Amino acid sequence: MTSDRHERELIEAAIRDAHEMRAIAIADGLKAFAVWLKQEFIVLMNLVKHRKASSELTHTHHAV
């Protein structure tokens, strides 16, 4: 009986460890995604800023 109980405890501990490792992997993936998303947002904002500046230059040129 003790052997079965010990084996079951080991299996339960292994399952808990696997769940914890999966949770850590998911958290790491979400952090990496957040970093990527922030970089993409910065690129997009720079693109918008340059287009706006280019558009203002075009309008200023035509007005003169």
Side-chain angles (χ1 to χ4, degrees):
M1 263 324 233
T2 308
S3 175
D4 289 342
R5 181 176 167 194
H6 182 66
E7 187 176 332
R8 188 169 47 242
E9 288 174 355
L10 288 175
I11 291 169
E12 289 171 356
I15 291 170
R16 280 193 303 272
D17 288 348
H19 284 302
E20 184 177 335
M21 289 172 59
R22 189 177 81 184
I24 290 169
I26 290 169
D28 288 346
L30 287 173
K31 282 191 270 184
F33 177 70
V35 168
W36 172 82
L37 193 59
K38 181 179 177 184
Q39 291 170 343
E40 290 298 307
F41 181 74
I42 290 170
V43 168
L44 182 62
M45 292 307 296
N46 284 333
L47 180 64
V48 168
K49 189 189 315 179
H50 288 304
R51 282 192 143 195
K52 185 176 178 184
S54 175
S55 177
E56 288 173 357
L57 285 175
T58 302
H59 289 310
T60 305
H61 180 71
H62 288 295
V64 172

